[in-house]
Amino acid sequence: MEFETEGSASKFERFLFLMIPIIFTLVLLGVLLTLFNMDIRNNVLAIANKIPVVEKWVPDPPQSADEATDPKQQAEEQAASSDKTIKELKSQLAAQSEQLKKANEDTAAQATKAEALQKQIDGMKEEAAAAEAGTEETDDPYVKQVKDLAKLYAGMKASKAAPIMENLTTDEMVQIFSVMNNASKTAILEKMDPKKAADVSIKLKETTNSTDMAIAALQSRLKQDAGASTKTTATNNLDKEKLNQTFTSMPAADAATLLGSMYKISPDKVITILNTVSDTVRSSILGEMTKNDSAQTAKVVNRLMGGK
């Protein structure tokens, strides 16, 4: 028995003697693995746990997070994460939709505002046009004739317009000059008799309004017509000579337009002028007057023939 015991002890000692290097090596390996990558250490521990006897001395490798987690729990966590992501996406989509809606509303408001402004501008233009048209329509015909006559004189040469206007009364000349531009007014006054030009200039300075000037012009015409019979024959012959010279040298169309405008202010003066010119010149002027206003020309011819 003692022999068997000693034999068993010897075997055990030999076993320990053989295992010590192995154990030391494993322990050293474990220490080294702890200092390096955890994945390598876990793989080595997993392999060592499959070796008989060695598995008793080697710790079990730790389970990964994926292995430690229950599949059901993983599914629930994945579903929860998906729901959260979907909610975030829906929230972002709703915010973008709201921004787009607001932008569309702002665009529509700007378009409405622009349309309203355009309508306002169009309305103002229409009102301005209507006011202008109304002004033209409500313009006094007498005033319009004075303006047309002033425009006609301004379009003539000053040397021709001056002697014609000198046959008007001072108040009539003032009335015409008052609606004429300064350049034409100056040019005609320079060609007029100095005394008459001075009288006109003084009265132009004293003018008030168109109504007063029109009344003064009509009154002066009545006075002149009333005193026409008292003029001397020499004076009448001199006036007729000037008128004949002026209207004979004037184109028939211009003379017709001028006399047509004058007839509405002073018909007697037009008859006097037509009586001073030759038959040929009178015929040409009447022909042009007929083109402009046949009814008025008929009245002129009737007056020339002694009618009223």
Side-chain angles (χ1 to χ4, degrees), residues 2-292:
E2 291 179 356
F3 176 76
E4 291 178 358
T5 302
E6 290 177 358
S8 298
S10 297
K11 290 181 179 180
F12 180 74
E13 289 175 357
R14 284 197 302 271
F15 175 76
L16 288 176
F17 180 78
L18 293 173
M19 290 301 296
I20 286 173
I22 296 173
I23 294 171
F24 176 80
T25 302
L26 292 174
V27 172
L28 179 61
L29 181 60
V31 172
L32 292 175
L33 289 174
T34 57
L35 299 176
F36 294 101
N37 189 283
M38 292 295 293
D39 292 337
I40 297 174
R41 189 190 66 160
N42 292 338
N43 291 334
V44 172
L45 290 176
I47 294 172
N49 272 279
K50 295 178 182 180
I51 300 173
V53 181
V54 176
E55 63 179 348
K56 296 179 180 180
W57 300 92
V58 177
D60 295 332
Q63 292 183 343
S64 64
D66 294 339
E67 293 175 351
T69 304
D70 184 27
K72 184 177 180 181
Q73 184 179 357
Q74 286 184 356
E76 292 176 353
E77 291 177 354
Q78 183 66 32
S81 177
S82 299
D83 291 340
K84 182 180 179 182
T85 303
I86 292 172
K87 288 180 180 179
E88 290 178 354
L89 292 175
K90 286 183 177 179
S91 177
Q92 293 176 3
L93 181 60
Q96 292 179 356
S97 298
E98 186 66 23
Q99 292 178 356
L100 181 60
K101 182 180 178 181
K102 185 178 179 181
N104 290 335
E105 291 176 353
D106 292 342
T107 302
Q110 290 293 335
T112 303
K113 185 177 180 181
E115 184 178 356
L117 289 173
Q118 186 60 45
K119 287 182 179 179
Q120 186 177 358
I121 293 172
D122 293 340
M124 293 175 67
K125 288 181 178 179
E126 291 176 359
E127 290 177 1
E132 185 177 355
T135 301
E136 293 178 355
E137 291 176 358
T138 57
D139 197 4
D140 189 346
Y142 179 80
V143 175
K144 187 175 184 301
Q145 289 300 325
V146 172
K147 290 180 179 179
D148 291 342
L149 191 58
K151 185 177 179 181
L152 183 62
Y153 281 125
M156 296 170 57
K157 289 183 178 181
S159 59
K160 292 184 178 181
I164 297 173
M165 292 189 68
E166 284 179 349
N167 288 279
L168 302 175
T169 67
T170 302
D171 289 311
E172 287 174 337
M173 285 189 284
V174 169
Q175 185 182 25
I176 294 172
F177 277 130
S178 67
V179 294
M180 191 181 293
N181 61 63
N182 289 332
S184 299
K185 190 186 307 180
T186 302
I188 295 174
L189 285 171
E190 287 177 349
K191 298 295 182 180
M192 289 179 63
D193 178 75
K195 178 66 171 59
K196 290 185 178 181
D199 293 340
V200 172
S201 300
I202 292 172
K203 284 215 169 191
L204 278 172
K205 211 166 52 171
E206 298 173 352
T207 55
T208 54
N209 55 58
S210 59
T211 302
D212 291 341
M213 283 189 291
I215 293 173
L218 291 173
Q219 287 177 344
S220 67
R221 172 52 52 186
L222 290 174
K223 289 179 181 180
Q224 181 168 312
D225 289 344
S229 59
T230 62
K231 289 184 179 181
T232 63
T233 304
T235 304
N236 287 334
N237 289 337
L238 181 63
D239 290 341
K240 290 179 180 180
E241 183 180 350
K242 289 182 179 180
L243 291 173
N244 182 22
Q245 183 179 0
T246 299
F247 280 89
T248 299
S249 61
M250 185 185 301
D254 292 343
T257 304
L258 175 60
L259 293 176
S261 298
M262 285 183 63
Y263 188 82
K264 296 175 182 179
I265 299 175
S266 180
D268 292 336
K269 205 67 176 177
V270 173
I271 300 302
T272 301
I273 293 172
L274 289 175
N275 282 326
T276 61
V277 298
S278 65
D279 294 340
T280 303
V281 174
R282 185 187 311 113
S283 176
S284 299
I285 293 174
L286 289 174
E288 293 295 333
M289 289 179 69
T290 302
K291 295 179 182 178
N292 297 334

